[in-house]
Amino acid sequence: MKVLVTVAEVGTVEDDFEIDGTAIDERYLEYDLNEWDDYAVEEAVQLSEEGTVDEVVAVTIGPERSEETIRMALAKGADRAIRVWDDSVEGLLDVAAKTEILEAVVDEEEPDLLLTGVQTADAMFGATGVSLAAAIDYPWAAVVNDLEYDGESASVHRELEGGVEELTDVETPAVLTIQTGINQPRYASLRGIRQAQQKEITAKTLADLGIEGLESELRLTEMYEPEVESDATVFEGRAEDTAVQLASVLREKGVGAQ
Amino acid sequence: MTAVLAVAEHRRGELRDVSYELIGAGRGLADDLGGELHLAVIGGQIEEFTRSLSREGVDAIHTVDEGEEFNHDVYTQVTEQLAEELDPDVVLLPNSINGLDYAPAVATRLGRPLVTDVIDADFEDGTLVATREMYGSKVETTIEVDSSRVAVTIRGGEWPGANGNGDTTVEEFDATIDESAVRSTVRGYEEVAGGDVDISDAEVLVSVGRGIEEEENIELIEELADALDATLSASRPIVDNGWLPANRQVGQSGKTVAPDVYIAIGISGAVQHVAGMKGAETIVAINNDPNAPIYDIADYGIVDDLFDVVPALIAEFE
Ligand SMILES: Cc1cc2nc3c(=O)[nH]c(=O)nc-3n(C[C@H](O)[C@H](O)[C@H](O)COP(=O)(O)OP(=O)(O)OC[C@H]3O[C@@H](n4cnc5c(N)ncnc54)[C@H](O)[C@@H]3O)c2cc1C
């Protein structure tokens, strides 16, 4: 049994930042493993530790820099990794383009189970997993926060709105998009980090995957900081003083009256 | 000419609000294109739903009598077939959890580009221009779509819900469901988040987010809640980490609350969080990032380190 986990390196933004054209200025970005993917990796590694799964393969679409992030997945227990990149992939990568790349990887790897994060924290499209499932004609479930998988079928909980969960059985091989909270992702141990250095990251180009020239039908034409419509009263000064001001407002509203 | 095909959403016998918002958004796009807005109602109490959705601006409703509840395999097949028959410029779906469970499949099967979680959209000279957020709502972006056939999911709460009775044609659509392609079975539903306290009853909520950094620091917020005689709640990461039980989570997937006073401490104000607490009468934010989206809806704020402000506030009330 083989599990393929998609992992993305995402840009995280500092409190103060500048926008350069249609992107956040590189100086204000840090890079990290996508929060949702961290849970997907953990879920895959747990299946492997239980013995349900023999191999956990992490796949990412990202430049060389992202190998640092992929090593995190390896340090946490993924067995090997594949990184796909090509300069033509730079910029806005829409769902269809990602799907096409991942579809080619699935064709080569033929996994029994695919885990993706619900969304990436930067682009927030939330669509790659289900789009991929449709492209490769696998069953799927989105926003999964509980999984029982025995190698043949998967029973999942899908987290709906308002504290309601849907209980669903899914035939496998399947694609599941993983929601935060499904498990407690581990920290990479020092031993894991050392071992990750020995693990293989196969770099592939689009040509290696037989993909000719990806084109996106989506164009990012503007990026700006949203206008703050706030009419909030903001208290300024030292914490001792702002606390006094806020306390007086709260008392007026009857807070802490008893 | 069908400009827009929107698919209504319902759960456990009730239409969800986003269904009416789809009409609002869909009518706008259809007007831009000078075409018709069609709706689909798939499964459930079809007659009742159809009556409710026959609002002003809806040209036709297609009903499909398939099952009581949402099943993504059925929804995907039906929507795909309807889109093939009507050839709408836009397939418009909700960016709900169930929307995320089938919209991408529909777009992929139809070979249409997909723009999700859209907060504003119109056609300019025949090109769809959509607004959406990125980086946890820190920036807004405009996306132009180079295709005359597109799939879009809209964020709930961004468009007004349609009202006014409409003069709508209703037609039964004869979808052909390939049963062998229905490979998921919904067995039922479960309510989570029961337990000791019901945060939706509280008049004052002190709510803690990821800014608290460590589990042991939650104690500090508990102290504040005690001092204020308030109930403790949290954003999702706190619950994901197991630092507080699920019944304390405020938001889209947690509880909806509407207290007199909501004090958000170290909470950025992500859309899924705000969905659960924007009904609070007075919102107070304590957050060291002046650009955090929570300040868009806050009435009072302190832009400062919570580890300085909270102890000072506790001292005030002790
Ligand atoms: C399908 C789906 C459903 C979801 N449902 C929910 C839900 O029901 N409820 C929910 O809350 N989220 C939900 N989320 C998650 C949501 O998108 C956010 O990730 C989450 O709300 C962020 O929580 P936060 O504000 O605590 O953390 P962050 O976004 O990390 O914000 C932490 C804030 O603390 C501030 N901060 C840091 N240190 C300090 C300090 N020392 N002093 C003062 N301020 C500080 C930072 O400036 C930042 O603004 C959902 C997501 C998805 C995809």
Side-chain angles (χ1 to χ4, degrees):
Chain A
M1 291 282 159
K2 186 198 285 186
V3 181
L4 192 66
V5 192
T6 62
V7 294
E9 181 187 73
V10 294
T12 56
V13 190
E14 294 173 22
D15 286 355
D16 291 307
F17 61 90
E18 285 170 34
I19 291 168
D20 178 16
T22 56
I24 290 177
D25 192 317
E26 195 62 34
R27 283 178 294 161
Y28 304 96
L29 285 176
E30 283 174 32
Y31 292 95
D32 206 350
L33 176 62
N34 181 39
E35 185 180 354
W36 283 266
D37 300 347
D38 197 14
Y39 288 85
V41 168
E42 178 64 33
E43 201 60 21
V45 170
Q46 286 187 12
L47 288 172
S48 157
E49 286 170 345
E50 281 164 19
T52 315
V53 153
D54 313 305
E55 194 182 26
V56 176
V57 182
V59 55
T60 193
I61 303 169
E64 203 170 336
R65 183 199 59 228
S66 63
E67 292 205 352
E68 215 176 294
T69 304
I70 306 322
R71 291 250 180 245
M72 299 254 292
L74 295 174
K76 288 170 182 235
D79 296 294
R80 63 185 167 88
I82 300 163
R83 178 178 68 82
V84 185
W85 192 246
D86 198 306
D87 287 343
S88 69
V89 174
E90 190 86 58
L92 177 78
L93 199 57
D94 69 60
V95 177
K98 280 192 196 174
T99 300
E100 194 174 337
I101 293 171
L102 294 172
E103 183 179 5
V105 174
V106 171
D107 282 347
E108 287 188 353
E109 293 287 334
E110 299 183 348
D112 302 282
L113 189 67
L114 268 135
L115 303 181
T116 76
V118 164
Q119 63 171 20
T120 49
D122 49 5
M124 311 199 306
F125 259 87
T128 302
V130 172
S131 169
L132 176 63
I136 61 180
D137 198 24
Y138 275 26
W140 74 84
V143 194
V144 168
N145 71 348
D146 188 63
L147 167 65
E148 271 172 56
Y149 171 65
D150 58 10
E152 308 244 302
S153 69
S155 292
V156 304
H157 290 202
R158 294 185 53 234
E159 185 190 75
L160 305 180
E161 293 87 354
V164 177
E165 294 185 359
E166 181 198 277
L167 315 182
T168 302
D169 292 335
V170 187
E171 292 174 21
T172 60
V175 180
L176 308 175
T177 80
I178 301 297
Q179 172 66 313
T180 60
I182 187 174
N183 52 41
Q184 293 290 336
R186 69 195 67 194
Y187 289 99
S189 64
L190 276 176
R191 189 161 148 263
I193 292 169
R194 238 191 353 262
Q195 283 173 345
Q197 297 304 328
Q198 316 302 322
K199 292 181 183 172
E200 179 190 329
I201 301 179
T202 313
K204 285 185 187 278
T205 62
L206 296 190
D208 292 338
L209 293 169
I211 298 170
E212 280 170 43
L214 274 183
E215 266 174 51
S216 173
E217 287 175 303
L218 305 188
R219 265 182 305 122
L220 188 61
T221 50
E222 271 182 77
M223 181 181 285
Y224 50 90
E225 288 188 59
E227 243 168 75
V228 181
E229 290 154 22
S230 170
D231 44 11
T233 307
V234 176
F235 301 118
E236 281 169 32
R238 296 181 321 139
E240 292 74 28
D241 303 330
T242 54
V244 171
Q245 289 170 291
L246 179 58
S248 122
V249 168
L250 291 175
R251 282 204 192 90
E252 240 170 72
K253 312 249 170 224
V255 176
Q258 284 87 348
Chain B
M1 173 216 171
T2 308
V4 178
L5 168 66
V7 182
E9 177 161 309
H10 57 87
R11 191 200 297 162
R12 300 166 99 182
E14 278 185 41
L15 281 169
R16 307 198 69 230
D17 290 346
V18 73
S19 299
Y20 301 102
E21 295 161 14
L22 282 163
I23 299 176
R27 189 62 252 170
L29 291 170
D31 285 345
D32 287 349
L33 293 166
E36 294 185 345
L37 167 63
H38 289 217
L39 283 192
V41 176
I42 308 171
Q45 284 81 302
I46 286 183
E47 273 176 42
E48 190 190 317
F49 294 163
T50 304
R51 248 190 325 258
S52 313
L53 291 167
S54 298
R55 302 265 162 128
E56 214 175 296
V58 181
D59 296 296
I61 298 182
H62 305 270
T63 62
V64 184
D65 195 1
E66 285 289 344
E68 271 308 298
E69 292 288 352
F70 175 80
N71 173 298
H72 67 228
D73 294 313
V74 172
Y75 268 61
T76 303
Q77 291 189 43
V78 171
T79 309
E80 186 185 356
Q81 287 168 30
L82 262 169
E84 269 164 1
E85 173 147 330
L86 301 168
D87 192 31
D89 301 73
V90 183
V91 174
L92 196 65
L93 306 174
N95 200 73
S96 57
I97 302 291
N98 281 344
L100 290 176
D101 197 36
Y102 82 109
V106 169
T108 300
R109 297 239 184 118
L110 293 169
R112 290 174 176 234
L114 171 68
V115 196
T116 61
D117 203 14
V118 164
I119 57 173
D120 196 11
D122 42 86
F123 279 92
E124 292 172 15
D125 302 324
T127 299
L128 181 75
V129 182
T131 307
R132 59 189 305 285
E133 298 178 339
M134 279 177 73
Y135 296 102
S137 306
K138 287 202 170 180
V139 299
E140 259 175 42
T141 61
T142 311
I143 286 183
E144 293 189 13
V145 184
D146 294 323
S147 168
S148 59
R149 295 287 176 275
V150 49
V152 171
T153 70
I154 62 161
R155 179 181 288 180
E158 296 291 326
W159 276 268
N163 41 41
N165 281 344
D167 176 21
T168 312
T169 329
V170 180
E171 275 171 48
E172 241 173 82
F173 179 72
D174 212 1
T176 327
I177 304 299
D178 172 5
E179 291 297 336
S180 72
V182 178
R183 297 173 299 189
S184 58
T185 316
V186 179
R187 285 182 287 117
Y189 299 90
E190 208 172 85
E191 308 282 343
V192 275
D196 54 339
V197 273
D198 188 354
I199 56 171
S200 47
D201 280 347
E203 284 168 18
V204 182
L205 281 173
V206 168
S207 210
V208 57
R210 182 140 53 191
I212 199 68
E213 285 168 16
E214 309 265 351
E215 179 166 18
E216 50 268 29
N217 297 337
I218 301 269
E219 241 173 72
L220 178 67
I221 309 299
E222 267 167 356
E223 264 178 61
L224 177 65
D226 281 346
L228 299 183
D229 208 9
T231 304
L232 186 64
S233 59
S235 69
R236 178 170 188 124
I238 302 300
V239 172
D240 283 346
N241 285 339
W243 298 350
L244 285 176
N247 61 11
R248 303 284 178 149
Q249 182 178 316
V250 173
Q252 180 192 49
S253 46
K255 287 245 159 115
T256 303
V257 298
D260 298 337
V261 178
Y262 188 86
I263 307 176
I265 304 175
I267 292 177
S268 64
V271 56
Q272 296 94 348
H273 185 79
V274 168
M277 47 67 74
K278 58 176 184 249
E281 201 162 303
T282 301
I283 297 170
V284 178
I286 301 173
N287 193 311
N288 57 11
D289 175 7
N291 300 318
I294 190 79
Y295 285 115
D296 288 348
I297 56 160
D299 301 291
Y300 297 93
I302 298 181
V303 181
D304 203 349
D305 192 326
L306 72 91
F307 294 105
D308 294 333
V309 176
V310 173
L313 202 53
I314 293 171
E316 276 302 304
F317 279 89
E318 269 175 348

